[in-house]
Amino acid sequence: MKARVIAAVLFAAVLAAAASTASGSVRSAKADSITVWLMGDAQSGWPTVVADATAAFKAKHPGVDVKVQYQTWGDHLTKFDATIAGGDTPDVIEFGNSETTKYMANGALRQLTASNFPNSKTWLAGLRSSCTYNGRTFCVPYYAGARAIVYRKDQYKAAGIRGTPRSVAQFLSDGKKLMKKYGKKDRNYSAWYFPGKNWYASMAFVYDYNGQIAVRKNGKWVGTLESKNAIKGLTVAKNVVGALSRASKTTDEAHPQQAIVFSKGHVGAFIGNGWEWPYALNKDLGNPALAPVMGAYPMPSHVRGRLMPEFLGGSDLAIPAQSKNVTLAADWIKAFTSTSAETGIAKVGNIPNTTILANVNKDNPQIAPFARAAAASWFVPTAPNWVNVENGDVLQNMLVQIYSGKKSVLAAAKSADKQINKILNG
C-alpha cells in the first residue's frame, strides 16, 4: 500500500491517540482479548517462552485472552497493510527491524515510553535505533542476529597465529601470515573471504571510526560517507580487503554463499551471521569434517580491546496506532521482553535484546561470539526512503569502485553521497 494511503487511513486514529502513549500508565482498556502477531519462528523455536509470557500477562489481567496468530515473513506486511485499511489491526505486531521505518514515519505505530519496558537502558544499540524515529520510540527490541568472524582454527595454528586478534591491525597482521602460509601456492586462497559488494561488513569500518552513512540536518537527510571519519573507515577497509581477500570484487556474500565457499578449503575466515555456520557443514554442499576446526570471534575495532560495531538484524515488537487495547498490548510486550523471557529466547540460540544477557550462551562456541559481537552495533539511517538506497545498490556500487580501484575512496564516497541525498530527500 502506498505511504500516502496508509497516512490517510491512519490520520483520525493518530489524532485520537496523540494525547497519550503506550507507557503502561494509560487508562486501562476494557477488553476480553488482545491479538498478537508473531512470526512463525517463535512458534517453532520458543513456544514455551510465548506461553509463559502469556501466563504472566493473564495473572495481571484475569479474564483477558491472548490470541497469538503466527505469520510468515513472505506476506505479513501485505496482511498488516490490509488490516490498516480495514481498521482491524492486531494489538501487537512483530516486525523485522529493517521493516519498521516506513510504519514509524507514516504514523502507523503508537509512540512508546522506552523506560517503561524491561532493560530499556541496556537495549542493543542497533535494535534501539531501528525503533527510534525523530528521537521518539515506536517499538521494543525483541531479539537480534549479529555477524562475527568464522575461521579455521587449524589454519590459524599452522600459520603461527596464537589466539584471536584484538585490533584491526593485528587482524591484518594475522591475515598476512595466512596469506604467506597458504596464499602463495593457492591463487584462490583468501585469508579473509570478502566479496566487493558486502556492504554490511564494509560499513562496519565506517562506524568503527565514528562515521555514518547519512544524518538528518535541518529537516533534510545528508549523505556523510565523504566525511573525514567515514573516509578513514573506508580506506582501512580497502587496505584490509585488498591484502587478505581474493574474492570477486563485483559479487556479494550470498552469491555464492560465503559459508559454502569457506567449506572448500581455500578460505581462512569470513564474516557472517551465526546461521551461516551450519551451511559450511552441510553434508551435500559443505564439508562436515570441518566441525572440529571451526571457531568464531567478534571482529575487533581499530582501537585495541574494543569491538567493531556490526549491523544487527533481528525483530522488534510494536503496537499499531489503531489498537484499541494499548495498555494491554504494552503489558504483554513487557511480559514477553522481560529478563526471564529474553533469557529463554537466548537459550534456544538467539541473541537477546539486552547487553546484560550477553553471557547466557557463554559456553556455546557457535553462539557466544555472535552474542558478544552484538554488544557493539549500528543500524541504517531511519529514513522513509532508505529502502530505495538499498534497492538502488548505491553502497554496493560504491564499494565495487573502491575495492576494484576504479575510483579513489573519496571520489566514490562523494558520488554515493550525491545519490543518497537525492534518494532520501526525494
Side-chain angles (χ1 to χ4, degrees), residues 304-341:
R304 186 173 179 81
R306 295 184 187 177
L307 300 181
M308 182 174 289
E310 298 296 343
F311 175 83
L312 287 188
S315 283
D316 302 316
L317 300 167
I319 301 174
Q322 290 177 316
S323 169
K324 300 177 179 64
N325 305 304
V326 177
T327 301
L328 294 174
D331 282 350
W332 188 86
I333 292 176
K334 290 177 186 178
F336 194 51
T337 58
S338 67
T339 298
S340 61

PDB file of all heavy atoms in Angstrom, residues 304-341:
ATOM      1  N   ARG A 304      42.444  -1.014  20.003  1.00  0.00           N
ATOM      2  CA  ARG A 304      42.760  -2.297  20.623  1.00  0.00           C
ATOM      3  C   ARG A 304      41.870  -2.562  21.834  1.00  0.00           C
ATOM      4  O   ARG A 304      41.693  -1.707  22.708  1.00  0.00           O
ATOM      5  CB  ARG A 304      44.229  -2.338  21.045  1.00  0.00           C
ATOM      6  CG  ARG A 304      44.665  -3.710  21.570  1.00  0.00           C
ATOM      7  CD  ARG A 304      46.157  -3.767  21.812  1.00  0.00           C
ATOM      8  NE  ARG A 304      46.572  -5.064  22.334  1.00  0.00           N
ATOM      9  CZ  ARG A 304      46.767  -6.143  21.586  1.00  0.00           C
ATOM     10  NH1 ARG A 304      46.602  -6.078  20.275  1.00  0.00           N
ATOM     11  NH2 ARG A 304      47.136  -7.289  22.133  1.00  0.00           N
ATOM     12  N   GLY A 305      41.315  -3.761  21.882  1.00  0.00           N
ATOM     13  CA  GLY A 305      40.489  -4.153  23.011  1.00  0.00           C
ATOM     14  C   GLY A 305      39.004  -3.881  22.830  1.00  0.00           C
ATOM     15  O   GLY A 305      38.187  -4.382  23.602  1.00  0.00           O
ATOM     16  N   ARG A 306      38.649  -3.108  21.820  1.00  0.00           N
ATOM     17  CA  ARG A 306      37.236  -2.833  21.543  1.00  0.00           C
ATOM     18  C   ARG A 306      36.754  -3.717  20.397  1.00  0.00           C
ATOM     19  O   ARG A 306      37.539  -4.359  19.710  1.00  0.00           O
ATOM     20  CB  ARG A 306      37.028  -1.361  21.172  1.00  0.00           C
ATOM     21  CG  ARG A 306      37.324  -0.386  22.295  1.00  0.00           C
ATOM     22  CD  ARG A 306      36.992   1.036  21.851  1.00  0.00           C
ATOM     23  NE  ARG A 306      37.397   2.018  22.828  1.00  0.00           N
ATOM     24  CZ  ARG A 306      37.278   3.339  22.666  1.00  0.00           C
ATOM     25  NH1 ARG A 306      36.769   3.821  21.538  1.00  0.00           N
ATOM     26  NH2 ARG A 306      37.683   4.169  23.609  1.00  0.00           N
ATOM     27  N   LEU A 307      35.434  -3.715  20.201  1.00  0.00           N
ATOM     28  CA  LEU A 307      34.842  -4.471  19.107  1.00  0.00           C
ATOM     29  C   LEU A 307      34.399  -3.533  18.001  1.00  0.00           C
ATOM     30  O   LEU A 307      33.977  -2.406  18.260  1.00  0.00           O
ATOM     31  CB  LEU A 307      33.632  -5.270  19.600  1.00  0.00           C
ATOM     32  CG  LEU A 307      33.884  -6.294  20.708  1.00  0.00           C
ATOM     33  CD1 LEU A 307      32.579  -7.010  21.047  1.00  0.00           C
ATOM     34  CD2 LEU A 307      34.950  -7.294  20.298  1.00  0.00           C
ATOM     35  N   MET A 308      34.499  -3.994  16.771  1.00  0.00           N
ATOM     36  CA  MET A 308      33.989  -3.217  15.654  1.00  0.00           C
ATOM     37  C   MET A 308      32.462  -3.286  15.671  1.00  0.00           C
ATOM     38  O   MET A 308      31.896  -4.374  15.802  1.00  0.00           O
ATOM     39  CB  MET A 308      34.527  -3.772  14.329  1.00  0.00           C
ATOM     40  CG  MET A 308      34.077  -2.971  13.107  1.00  0.00           C
ATOM     41  SD  MET A 308      34.865  -3.530  11.567  1.00  0.00           S
ATOM     42  CE  MET A 308      36.549  -2.944  11.817  1.00  0.00           C
ATOM     43  N   PRO A 309      31.773  -2.157  15.549  1.00  0.00           N
ATOM     44  CA  PRO A 309      30.305  -2.198  15.527  1.00  0.00           C
ATOM     45  C   PRO A 309      29.809  -2.990  14.321  1.00  0.00           C
ATOM     46  O   PRO A 309      30.286  -2.785  13.207  1.00  0.00           O
ATOM     47  CB  PRO A 309      29.905  -0.718  15.414  1.00  0.00           C
ATOM     48  CG  PRO A 309      31.115   0.046  15.843  1.00  0.00           C
ATOM     49  CD  PRO A 309      32.292  -0.791  15.433  1.00  0.00           C
ATOM     50  N   GLU A 310      28.868  -3.883  14.546  1.00  0.00           N
ATOM     51  CA  GLU A 310      28.312  -4.694  13.477  1.00  0.00           C
ATOM     52  C   GLU A 310      26.848  -4.356  13.250  1.00  0.00           C
ATOM     53  O   GLU A 310      26.134  -3.970  14.171  1.00  0.00           O
ATOM     54  CB  GLU A 310      28.445  -6.189  13.804  1.00  0.00           C
ATOM     55  CG  GLU A 310      29.867  -6.680  13.942  1.00  0.00           C
ATOM     56  CD  GLU A 310      30.671  -6.579  12.661  1.00  0.00           C
ATOM     57  OE1 GLU A 310      30.058  -6.441  11.583  1.00  0.00           O
ATOM     58  OE2 GLU A 310      31.911  -6.641  12.728  1.00  0.00           O
ATOM     59  N   PHE A 311      26.407  -4.521  12.018  1.00  0.00           N
ATOM     60  CA  PHE A 311      24.996  -4.331  11.718  1.00  0.00           C
ATOM     61  C   PHE A 311      24.193  -5.449  12.371  1.00  0.00           C
ATOM     62  O   PHE A 311      24.550  -6.615  12.268  1.00  0.00           O
ATOM     63  CB  PHE A 311      24.749  -4.353  10.209  1.00  0.00           C
ATOM     64  CG  PHE A 311      23.285  -4.274   9.850  1.00  0.00           C
ATOM     65  CD1 PHE A 311      22.643  -3.045   9.793  1.00  0.00           C
ATOM     66  CD2 PHE A 311      22.554  -5.422   9.591  1.00  0.00           C
ATOM     67  CE1 PHE A 311      21.297  -2.966   9.481  1.00  0.00           C
ATOM     68  CE2 PHE A 311      21.202  -5.355   9.275  1.00  0.00           C
ATOM     69  CZ  PHE A 311      20.570  -4.124   9.219  1.00  0.00           C
ATOM     70  N   LEU A 312      23.111  -5.074  13.050  1.00  0.00           N
ATOM     71  CA  LEU A 312      22.252  -6.061  13.671  1.00  0.00           C
ATOM     72  C   LEU A 312      21.011  -6.305  12.830  1.00  0.00           C
ATOM     73  O   LEU A 312      20.313  -5.364  12.439  1.00  0.00           O
ATOM     74  CB  LEU A 312      21.802  -5.602  15.065  1.00  0.00           C
ATOM     75  CG  LEU A 312      22.821  -5.617  16.199  1.00  0.00           C
ATOM     76  CD1 LEU A 312      22.119  -5.321  17.518  1.00  0.00           C
ATOM     77  CD2 LEU A 312      23.546  -6.941  16.280  1.00  0.00           C
ATOM     78  N   GLY A 313      20.742  -7.567  12.555  1.00  0.00           N
ATOM     79  CA  GLY A 313      19.430  -7.935  12.068  1.00  0.00           C
ATOM     80  C   GLY A 313      18.588  -8.269  13.287  1.00  0.00           C
ATOM     81  O   GLY A 313      19.051  -8.194  14.418  1.00  0.00           O
ATOM     82  N   GLY A 314      17.347  -8.658  13.080  1.00  0.00           N
ATOM     83  CA  GLY A 314      16.539  -9.031  14.225  1.00  0.00           C
ATOM     84  C   GLY A 314      15.101  -8.611  14.097  1.00  0.00           C
ATOM     85  O   GLY A 314      14.622  -8.278  13.012  1.00  0.00           O
ATOM     86  N   SER A 315      14.405  -8.617  15.231  1.00  0.00           N
ATOM     87  CA  SER A 315      12.973  -8.305  15.250  1.00  0.00           C
ATOM     88  C   SER A 315      12.632  -7.333  16.370  1.00  0.00           C
ATOM     89  O   SER A 315      13.317  -7.281  17.396  1.00  0.00           O
ATOM     90  CB  SER A 315      12.152  -9.582  15.428  1.00  0.00           C
ATOM     91  OG  SER A 315      12.058 -10.326  14.239  1.00  0.00           O
ATOM     92  N   ASP A 316      11.548  -6.596  16.139  1.00  0.00           N
ATOM     93  CA  ASP A 316      11.013  -5.652  17.116  1.00  0.00           C
ATOM     94  C   ASP A 316       9.522  -5.912  17.299  1.00  0.00           C
ATOM     95  O   ASP A 316       8.877  -6.513  16.434  1.00  0.00           O
ATOM     96  CB  ASP A 316      11.206  -4.208  16.632  1.00  0.00           C
ATOM     97  CG  ASP A 316      12.665  -3.856  16.377  1.00  0.00           C
ATOM     98  OD1 ASP A 316      13.511  -4.212  17.220  1.00  0.00           O
ATOM     99  OD2 ASP A 316      12.950  -3.232  15.339  1.00  0.00           O
ATOM    100  N   LEU A 317       8.975  -5.424  18.405  1.00  0.00           N
ATOM    101  CA  LEU A 317       7.550  -5.554  18.700  1.00  0.00           C
ATOM    102  C   LEU A 317       6.934  -4.171  18.793  1.00  0.00           C
ATOM    103  O   LEU A 317       7.463  -3.294  19.475  1.00  0.00           O
ATOM    104  CB  LEU A 317       7.347  -6.303  20.013  1.00  0.00           C
ATOM    105  CG  LEU A 317       7.905  -7.726  20.052  1.00  0.00           C
ATOM    106  CD1 LEU A 317       7.934  -8.246  21.487  1.00  0.00           C
ATOM    107  CD2 LEU A 317       7.086  -8.654  19.162  1.00  0.00           C
ATOM    108  N   ALA A 318       5.808  -3.968  18.110  1.00  0.00           N
ATOM    109  CA  ALA A 318       5.173  -2.659  18.077  1.00  0.00           C
ATOM    110  C   ALA A 318       3.680  -2.773  18.342  1.00  0.00           C
ATOM    111  O   ALA A 318       3.084  -3.850  18.218  1.00  0.00           O
ATOM    112  CB  ALA A 318       5.397  -1.991  16.715  1.00  0.00           C
ATOM    113  N   ILE A 319       3.087  -1.641  18.697  1.00  0.00           N
ATOM    114  CA  ILE A 319       1.644  -1.547  18.884  1.00  0.00           C
ATOM    115  C   ILE A 319       1.084  -0.670  17.767  1.00  0.00           C
ATOM    116  O   ILE A 319       1.425   0.520  17.683  1.00  0.00           O
ATOM    117  CB  ILE A 319       1.291  -0.924  20.250  1.00  0.00           C
ATOM    118  CG1 ILE A 319       1.886  -1.759  21.380  1.00  0.00           C
ATOM    119  CG2 ILE A 319      -0.229  -0.807  20.409  1.00  0.00           C
ATOM    120  CD1 ILE A 319       1.710  -1.143  22.755  1.00  0.00           C
ATOM    121  N   PRO A 320       0.268  -1.207  16.890  1.00  0.00           N
ATOM    122  CA  PRO A 320      -0.312  -0.398  15.809  1.00  0.00           C
ATOM    123  C   PRO A 320      -1.116   0.781  16.368  1.00  0.00           C
ATOM    124  O   PRO A 320      -1.728   0.679  17.437  1.00  0.00           O
ATOM    125  CB  PRO A 320      -1.225  -1.394  15.079  1.00  0.00           C
ATOM    126  CG  PRO A 320      -0.592  -2.722  15.335  1.00  0.00           C
ATOM    127  CD  PRO A 320      -0.085  -2.639  16.748  1.00  0.00           C
ATOM    128  N   ALA A 321      -1.103   1.879  15.651  1.00  0.00           N
ATOM    129  CA  ALA A 321      -1.787   3.088  16.099  1.00  0.00           C
ATOM    130  C   ALA A 321      -3.282   2.864  16.267  1.00  0.00           C
ATOM    131  O   ALA A 321      -3.929   3.539  17.071  1.00  0.00           O
ATOM    132  CB  ALA A 321      -1.545   4.223  15.101  1.00  0.00           C
ATOM    133  N   GLN A 322      -3.850   1.929  15.524  1.00  0.00           N
ATOM    134  CA  GLN A 322      -5.290   1.696  15.590  1.00  0.00           C
ATOM    135  C   GLN A 322      -5.706   0.722  16.682  1.00  0.00           C
ATOM    136  O   GLN A 322      -6.904   0.466  16.844  1.00  0.00           O
ATOM    137  CB  GLN A 322      -5.789   1.178  14.239  1.00  0.00           C
ATOM    138  CG  GLN A 322      -5.758   2.229  13.133  1.00  0.00           C
ATOM    139  CD  GLN A 322      -6.187   1.648  11.799  1.00  0.00           C
ATOM    140  OE1 GLN A 322      -5.770   0.556  11.432  1.00  0.00           O
ATOM    141  NE2 GLN A 322      -7.001   2.398  11.069  1.00  0.00           N
ATOM    142  N   SER A 323      -4.742   0.179  17.426  1.00  0.00           N
ATOM    143  CA  SER A 323      -5.107  -0.744  18.506  1.00  0.00           C
ATOM    144  C   SER A 323      -6.016  -0.054  19.503  1.00  0.00           C
ATOM    145  O   SER A 323      -5.786   1.087  19.907  1.00  0.00           O
ATOM    146  CB  SER A 323      -3.851  -1.243  19.222  1.00  0.00           C
ATOM    147  OG  SER A 323      -4.200  -1.938  20.410  1.00  0.00           O
ATOM    148  N   LYS A 324      -7.042  -0.762  19.932  1.00  0.00           N
ATOM    149  CA  LYS A 324      -7.975  -0.239  20.934  1.00  0.00           C
ATOM    150  C   LYS A 324      -7.603  -0.724  22.331  1.00  0.00           C
ATOM    151  O   LYS A 324      -8.311  -0.431  23.298  1.00  0.00           O
ATOM    152  CB  LYS A 324      -9.397  -0.667  20.579  1.00  0.00           C
ATOM    153  CG  LYS A 324      -9.883  -0.161  19.220  1.00  0.00           C
ATOM    154  CD  LYS A 324     -11.279  -0.688  18.900  1.00  0.00           C
ATOM    155  CE  LYS A 324     -11.773  -0.170  17.549  1.00  0.00           C
ATOM    156  NZ  LYS A 324     -10.933  -0.650  16.418  1.00  0.00           N
ATOM    157  N   ASN A 325      -6.518  -1.475  22.413  1.00  0.00           N
ATOM    158  CA  ASN A 325      -6.125  -2.071  23.686  1.00  0.00           C
ATOM    159  C   ASN A 325      -4.657  -1.778  23.984  1.00  0.00           C
ATOM    160  O   ASN A 325      -3.850  -2.685  24.208  1.00  0.00           O
ATOM    161  CB  ASN A 325      -6.353  -3.582  23.639  1.00  0.00           C
ATOM    162  CG  ASN A 325      -7.770  -3.945  23.259  1.00  0.00           C
ATOM    163  OD1 ASN A 325      -8.714  -3.518  23.908  1.00  0.00           O
ATOM    164  ND2 ASN A 325      -7.929  -4.724  22.192  1.00  0.00           N
ATOM    165  N   VAL A 326      -4.327  -0.516  23.982  1.00  0.00           N
ATOM    166  CA  VAL A 326      -2.926  -0.103  24.067  1.00  0.00           C
ATOM    167  C   VAL A 326      -2.260  -0.530  25.366  1.00  0.00           C
ATOM    168  O   VAL A 326      -1.146  -1.065  25.367  1.00  0.00           O
ATOM    169  CB  VAL A 326      -2.807   1.425  23.881  1.00  0.00           C
ATOM    170  CG1 VAL A 326      -1.358   1.875  24.032  1.00  0.00           C
ATOM    171  CG2 VAL A 326      -3.367   1.841  22.530  1.00  0.00           C
ATOM    172  N   THR A 327      -2.926  -0.303  26.499  1.00  0.00           N
ATOM    173  CA  THR A 327      -2.334  -0.654  27.784  1.00  0.00           C
ATOM    174  C   THR A 327      -2.106  -2.150  27.889  1.00  0.00           C
ATOM    175  O   THR A 327      -1.053  -2.610  28.354  1.00  0.00           O
ATOM    176  CB  THR A 327      -3.229  -0.182  28.936  1.00  0.00           C
ATOM    177  OG1 THR A 327      -3.392   1.230  28.846  1.00  0.00           O
ATOM    178  CG2 THR A 327      -2.616  -0.533  30.276  1.00  0.00           C
ATOM    179  N   LEU A 328      -3.089  -2.925  27.455  1.00  0.00           N
ATOM    180  CA  LEU A 328      -2.954  -4.372  27.494  1.00  0.00           C
ATOM    181  C   LEU A 328      -1.831  -4.839  26.569  1.00  0.00           C
ATOM    182  O   LEU A 328      -1.051  -5.724  26.919  1.00  0.00           O
ATOM    183  CB  LEU A 328      -4.273  -5.028  27.093  1.00  0.00           C
ATOM    184  CG  LEU A 328      -5.454  -4.811  28.050  1.00  0.00           C
ATOM    185  CD1 LEU A 328      -6.731  -5.394  27.453  1.00  0.00           C
ATOM    186  CD2 LEU A 328      -5.170  -5.435  29.416  1.00  0.00           C
ATOM    187  N   ALA A 329      -1.765  -4.243  25.394  1.00  0.00           N
ATOM    188  CA  ALA A 329      -0.716  -4.610  24.445  1.00  0.00           C
ATOM    189  C   ALA A 329       0.662  -4.324  25.032  1.00  0.00           C
ATOM    190  O   ALA A 329       1.592  -5.132  24.909  1.00  0.00           O
ATOM    191  CB  ALA A 329      -0.909  -3.842  23.139  1.00  0.00           C
ATOM    192  N   ALA A 330       0.788  -3.165  25.676  1.00  0.00           N
ATOM    193  CA  ALA A 330       2.068  -2.801  26.287  1.00  0.00           C
ATOM    194  C   ALA A 330       2.452  -3.786  27.387  1.00  0.00           C
ATOM    195  O   ALA A 330       3.609  -4.183  27.517  1.00  0.00           O
ATOM    196  CB  ALA A 330       2.003  -1.383  26.845  1.00  0.00           C
ATOM    197  N   ASP A 331       1.467  -4.208  28.168  1.00  0.00           N
ATOM    198  CA  ASP A 331       1.752  -5.141  29.252  1.00  0.00           C
ATOM    199  C   ASP A 331       2.169  -6.514  28.719  1.00  0.00           C
ATOM    200  O   ASP A 331       3.020  -7.193  29.313  1.00  0.00           O
ATOM    201  CB  ASP A 331       0.531  -5.278  30.167  1.00  0.00           C
ATOM    202  CG  ASP A 331       0.397  -4.105  31.121  1.00  0.00           C
ATOM    203  OD1 ASP A 331       1.342  -3.292  31.193  1.00  0.00           O
ATOM    204  OD2 ASP A 331      -0.646  -3.996  31.787  1.00  0.00           O
ATOM    205  N   TRP A 332       1.579  -6.937  27.592  1.00  0.00           N
ATOM    206  CA  TRP A 332       2.001  -8.218  27.032  1.00  0.00           C
ATOM    207  C   TRP A 332       3.442  -8.125  26.516  1.00  0.00           C
ATOM    208  O   TRP A 332       4.243  -9.033  26.714  1.00  0.00           O
ATOM    209  CB  TRP A 332       1.074  -8.665  25.897  1.00  0.00           C
ATOM    210  CG  TRP A 332       1.378 -10.066  25.459  1.00  0.00           C
ATOM    211  CD1 TRP A 332       0.887 -11.220  25.993  1.00  0.00           C
ATOM    212  CD2 TRP A 332       2.315 -10.464  24.444  1.00  0.00           C
ATOM    213  NE1 TRP A 332       1.447 -12.314  25.371  1.00  0.00           N
ATOM    214  CE2 TRP A 332       2.322 -11.882  24.421  1.00  0.00           C
ATOM    215  CE3 TRP A 332       3.133  -9.775  23.564  1.00  0.00           C
ATOM    216  CZ2 TRP A 332       3.124 -12.610  23.536  1.00  0.00           C
ATOM    217  CZ3 TRP A 332       3.933 -10.499  22.685  1.00  0.00           C
ATOM    218  CH2 TRP A 332       3.922 -11.893  22.673  1.00  0.00           C
ATOM    219  N   ILE A 333       3.776  -7.012  25.865  1.00  0.00           N
ATOM    220  CA  ILE A 333       5.150  -6.824  25.379  1.00  0.00           C
ATOM    221  C   ILE A 333       6.129  -6.820  26.548  1.00  0.00           C
ATOM    222  O   ILE A 333       7.220  -7.394  26.470  1.00  0.00           O
ATOM    223  CB  ILE A 333       5.269  -5.528  24.562  1.00  0.00           C
ATOM    224  CG1 ILE A 333       4.485  -5.654  23.253  1.00  0.00           C
ATOM    225  CG2 ILE A 333       6.738  -5.206  24.262  1.00  0.00           C
ATOM    226  CD1 ILE A 333       4.463  -4.374  22.423  1.00  0.00           C
ATOM    227  N   LYS A 334       5.729  -6.182  27.663  1.00  0.00           N
ATOM    228  CA  LYS A 334       6.591  -6.189  28.843  1.00  0.00           C
ATOM    229  C   LYS A 334       6.868  -7.610  29.314  1.00  0.00           C
ATOM    230  O   LYS A 334       8.006  -7.975  29.640  1.00  0.00           O
ATOM    231  CB  LYS A 334       5.939  -5.397  29.977  1.00  0.00           C
ATOM    232  CG  LYS A 334       5.868  -3.899  29.763  1.00  0.00           C
ATOM    233  CD  LYS A 334       5.127  -3.253  30.923  1.00  0.00           C
ATOM    234  CE  LYS A 334       4.898  -1.770  30.682  1.00  0.00           C
ATOM    235  NZ  LYS A 334       4.131  -1.140  31.782  1.00  0.00           N
ATOM    236  N   ALA A 335       5.824  -8.424  29.349  1.00  0.00           N
ATOM    237  CA  ALA A 335       5.989  -9.808  29.792  1.00  0.00           C
ATOM    238  C   ALA A 335       6.863 -10.601  28.827  1.00  0.00           C
ATOM    239  O   ALA A 335       7.692 -11.423  29.247  1.00  0.00           O
ATOM    240  CB  ALA A 335       4.615 -10.474  29.932  1.00  0.00           C
ATOM    241  N   PHE A 336       6.711 -10.330  27.529  1.00  0.00           N
ATOM    242  CA  PHE A 336       7.420 -11.106  26.513  1.00  0.00           C
ATOM    243  C   PHE A 336       8.858 -10.636  26.325  1.00  0.00           C
ATOM    244  O   PHE A 336       9.664 -11.346  25.716  1.00  0.00           O
ATOM    245  CB  PHE A 336       6.666 -11.024  25.188  1.00  0.00           C
ATOM    246  CG  PHE A 336       7.096 -12.033  24.166  1.00  0.00           C
ATOM    247  CD1 PHE A 336       7.176 -13.382  24.487  1.00  0.00           C
ATOM    248  CD2 PHE A 336       7.416 -11.650  22.875  1.00  0.00           C
ATOM    249  CE1 PHE A 336       7.563 -14.321  23.539  1.00  0.00           C
ATOM    250  CE2 PHE A 336       7.806 -12.570  21.917  1.00  0.00           C
ATOM    251  CZ  PHE A 336       7.881 -13.918  22.249  1.00  0.00           C
ATOM    252  N   THR A 337       9.197  -9.470  26.847  1.00  0.00           N
ATOM    253  CA  THR A 337      10.579  -8.981  26.757  1.00  0.00           C
ATOM    254  C   THR A 337      11.197  -8.820  28.145  1.00  0.00           C
ATOM    255  O   THR A 337      12.181  -8.099  28.309  1.00  0.00           O
ATOM    256  CB  THR A 337      10.656  -7.649  25.992  1.00  0.00           C
ATOM    257  OG1 THR A 337       9.829  -6.670  26.641  1.00  0.00           O
ATOM    258  CG2 THR A 337      10.208  -7.818  24.549  1.00  0.00           C
ATOM    259  N   SER A 338      10.617  -9.480  29.132  1.00  0.00           N
ATOM    260  CA  SER A 338      11.192  -9.462  30.477  1.00  0.00           C
ATOM    261  C   SER A 338      12.534 -10.181  30.475  1.00  0.00           C
ATOM    262  O   SER A 338      12.875 -10.891  29.526  1.00  0.00           O
ATOM    263  CB  SER A 338      10.238 -10.161  31.453  1.00  0.00           C
ATOM    264  OG  SER A 338      10.151 -11.551  31.138  1.00  0.00           O
ATOM    265  N   THR A 339      13.273 -10.021  31.533  1.00  0.00           N
ATOM    266  CA  THR A 339      14.577 -10.675  31.624  1.00  0.00           C
ATOM    267  C   THR A 339      14.445 -12.192  31.527  1.00  0.00           C
ATOM    268  O   THR A 339      15.229 -12.856  30.847  1.00  0.00           O
ATOM    269  CB  THR A 339      15.277 -10.297  32.938  1.00  0.00           C
ATOM    270  OG1 THR A 339      15.495  -8.878  32.958  1.00  0.00           O
ATOM    271  CG2 THR A 339      16.617 -11.008  33.072  1.00  0.00           C
ATOM    272  N   SER A 340      13.445 -12.746  32.179  1.00  0.00           N
ATOM    273  CA  SER A 340      13.264 -14.196  32.140  1.00  0.00           C
ATOM    274  C   SER A 340      12.876 -14.669  30.743  1.00  0.00           C
ATOM    275  O   SER A 340      13.371 -15.704  30.272  1.00  0.00           O
ATOM    276  CB  SER A 340      12.202 -14.633  33.150  1.00  0.00           C
ATOM    277  OG  SER A 340      10.945 -14.037  32.866  1.00  0.00           O
ATOM    278  N   ALA A 341      12.007 -13.907  30.072  1.00  0.00           N
ATOM    279  CA  ALA A 341      11.598 -14.286  28.721  1.00  0.00           C
ATOM    280  C   ALA A 341      12.767 -14.175  27.747  1.00  0.00           C
ATOM    281  O   ALA A 341      12.991 -15.065  26.917  1.00  0.00           O
ATOM    282  CB  ALA A 341      10.433 -13.411  28.254  1.00  0.00           C
TER     283      ALA A 341
END
